[in-house]
Amino acid sequence: MGDLSNQLEASLKSKFNELPPLSSHCCIYKVPENLRTVNEAAYRPWVVSIGPFHSKDERLHHMEEQKLRYLLSFMNRCQNQKLGSYIELIKEQEVVIRQFYAEKIELSSNEFTEMVLLDSAFIIEVFLRNYFPQLVEENDQIFHRPGMIVEVSRDMKLIENQLPFFILELLYDSAYEGDSDSSPSFLDIACKFFNLPRVTMSGIKHFVDFLRTSLIPLPPRPKPENKQSLHFHITATDLKEAGVKFVASKSRSLLDMEFTKGTLKIPPLNLEDVTKSFFRNLMVFEQCHYYFDSYIIDYVALLHFLINTPEDVEMLVERGIIENWLANNEEVSNIFNSMFKQIKLADSNFYYSTLCQKLNEYYYTPWRRQRAMLKQKYFNHPWAVISFIYATVLLLLTIIQVVCFVTFNVQKSSGSHLFL
């Protein structure tokens, strides 16, 4: 028994020593299994692997040749640095880069360095060719194949398909060292690629964090102080029937919804096929990293509450709030009904709690609800409106007839008494 205990003790101590240190850099996560099962395809790269999590995926190996070609172009363009310089730079940062990933990376030092260099050069070349179209070569397999750049862009927005932003910036700055006055910054070419206005940002973790930060209003509005649980179960159609006017806001921030004087202003949302994976990956990142400071989850949650049926979608499309490039309105309602599955909402710190409270107060005001019920019962069809008007006119005519009859009899009775 003593030997077995000693062996177990030694085994556990060995595992203790192998534990990777906990790091504040950790911010690139694998999708939790409960979220992956809802829609696995939304988290899987289509054409290119970035970072270690999908580097062994056989489906994506056809892009490895293109990565080598882009690395060669990158080297030829930036001749002030040799290949060995970039390798050494990555080797110096390897420990820190590995700490960005939530799981241990089972790659040797050389394999890891090669992966980071190839993927970084690929990203930088894609950004540069997008920024300077004259750099695109005649036989470029990314920019001269229909739809390929859209798929590459989509894959760069996946939480499992990331490199730390700092290493990309470091390699880019190293390549253009001494030429910073005439060359755009890495942030400049990243903003252009993702179609974002040029902004000043610091502490960017990776592209998913970059995109999330770009959506948050600046300066961020304070989170609500009200810590009560969220209670909001009113659809867009319900609100419309209660008299709420829906207007497409001109705000530049997608998250900037506002309700004043019976009007709900919502910034327009363009819905296409890649939008689904875009929001799902942002939500996973917030669920893992910003659970108590979520903005995207709260935004999608509010849309989830407002959109329940194709009729809700139709009304929002008519108001210019949703631009639907999907098959039909039913698909949009299904997306928002399913997107929130397995997502945990920190409702005590809900970003739109004040807005929901105002909408609740408006909708549940008794006379507004009665008006809504009246409209739903009597005015939901043109013939119902005509019938109601016809019945109202008949009622008014009947009342007038009765009043005239009573008045006539009273006058007749008074005349008879005077005659007597």
Side-chain angles (χ1 to χ4, degrees), residues 129-172:
R129 294 177 189 216
N130 177 74
Y131 197 91
F132 299 109
Q134 65 270 25
L135 297 180
V136 177
E137 298 164 352
E138 183 179 356
N139 297 317
D140 191 292
Q141 296 297 300
I142 302 296
F143 288 89
H144 287 320
R145 290 179 60 185
M148 178 61 76
I149 193 62
V150 175
E151 295 177 351
V152 169
S153 175
R154 179 257 183 199
D155 285 354
M156 288 186 186
K157 300 170 186 175
L158 306 181
I159 185 59
E160 291 185 349
N161 222 33
Q162 298 297 313
L163 286 176
F165 193 89
F166 89 90
I167 193 62
L168 293 164
E169 200 166 34
L170 198 60
L171 286 167
Y172 180 85

Side-chain angles (χ1 to χ4, degrees), residues 102-329:
E103 298 192 11
K104 186 178 179 180
I105 308 304
E106 299 294 344
L107 294 174
S108 68
S109 178
N110 283 343
E111 289 173 331
F112 186 82
T113 301
E114 180 181 345
M115 178 270 299
V116 172
L117 179 58
L118 285 171
D119 292 355
S120 298
F122 176 81
I123 291 170
I124 292 171
E125 276 295 305
V126 168
F127 284 10
L128 282 171
R129 294 177 189 216
N130 177 74
Y131 197 91
F132 299 109
Q134 65 270 25
L135 297 180
V136 177
E137 298 164 352
E138 183 179 356
N139 297 317
D140 191 292
Q141 296 297 300
I142 302 296
F143 288 89
H144 287 320
R145 290 179 60 185
M148 178 61 76
I149 193 62
V150 175
E151 295 177 351
V152 169
S153 175
R154 179 257 183 199
D155 285 354
M156 288 186 186
K157 300 170 186 175
L158 306 181
I159 185 59
E160 291 185 349
N161 222 33
Q162 298 297 313
L163 286 176
F165 193 89
F166 89 90
I167 193 62
L168 293 164
E169 200 166 34
L170 198 60
L171 286 167
Y172 180 85
D173 291 345
S174 176
Y176 289 96
E177 186 178 8
D179 195 25
S180 58
D181 293 336
S182 59
S183 301
S185 69
F186 182 72
L187 186 59
D188 287 332
I189 62 176
C191 286
K192 176 74 181 298
F193 182 79
F194 291 117
N195 197 26
L196 298 172
R198 177 62 172 90
V199 291
T200 301
M201 295 185 189
S202 60
I204 301 171
K205 297 172 176 58
H206 44 68
F207 290 151
V208 177
D209 181 57
F210 176 51
L211 293 166
R212 174 186 179 270
T213 303
S214 72
L215 290 172
I216 297 174
L218 294 174
R221 289 181 295 179
K223 283 280 188 170
E225 297 180 359
N226 182 8
K227 297 298 182 181
Q228 294 181 356
S229 296
L230 174 67
H231 297 286
F232 186 79
H233 304 286
I234 311 171
T235 67
T237 303
D238 292 334
L239 290 171
K240 175 192 171 187
E241 292 175 347
V244 173
K245 296 179 182 178
F246 285 78
V247 174
S249 169
K250 295 181 180 179
S251 174
R252 298 179 64 180
S253 171
L254 185 66
L255 309 186
D256 190 15
M257 300 191 198
E258 182 183 6
F259 181 66
T260 55
K261 298 180 180 179
T263 299
L264 181 57
K265 296 180 180 180
I266 304 176
L269 172 63
N270 184 24
L271 275 178
E272 49 191 5
D273 194 48
V274 294
T275 310
K276 296 178 285 185
S277 67
F278 173 70
F279 277 118
R280 285 186 181 276
N281 281 272
L282 286 172
M283 292 168 71
V284 166
F285 178 50
E286 285 197 335
Q287 192 86 114
C288 295
H289 201 81
Y290 290 113
Y291 179 69
F292 292 107
D293 193 29
S294 60
Y295 287 87
I296 310 305
I297 287 175
D298 295 7
Y299 170 79
V300 174
L302 184 55
L303 291 180
H304 166 71
F305 298 143
L306 292 174
I307 298 173
N308 188 48
T309 66
E311 288 70 29
D312 296 315
V313 178
E314 182 178 3
M315 189 271 291
L316 295 175
V317 169
E318 290 173 353
R319 300 298 188 278
I321 293 170
I322 288 180
E323 186 175 350
N324 183 14
W325 290 92
L326 300 176
N328 49 51
N329 292 337

Side-chain angles (χ1 to χ4, degrees), residues 29-37 43 159-160 281 284 288:
Y29 304 90
K30 280 200 169 183
V31 178
E33 196 61 29
N34 64 319
L35 296 175
R36 187 186 301 278
T37 55
Y43 310 107
I159 185 59
E160 291 185 349
N281 281 272
V284 166
C288 295

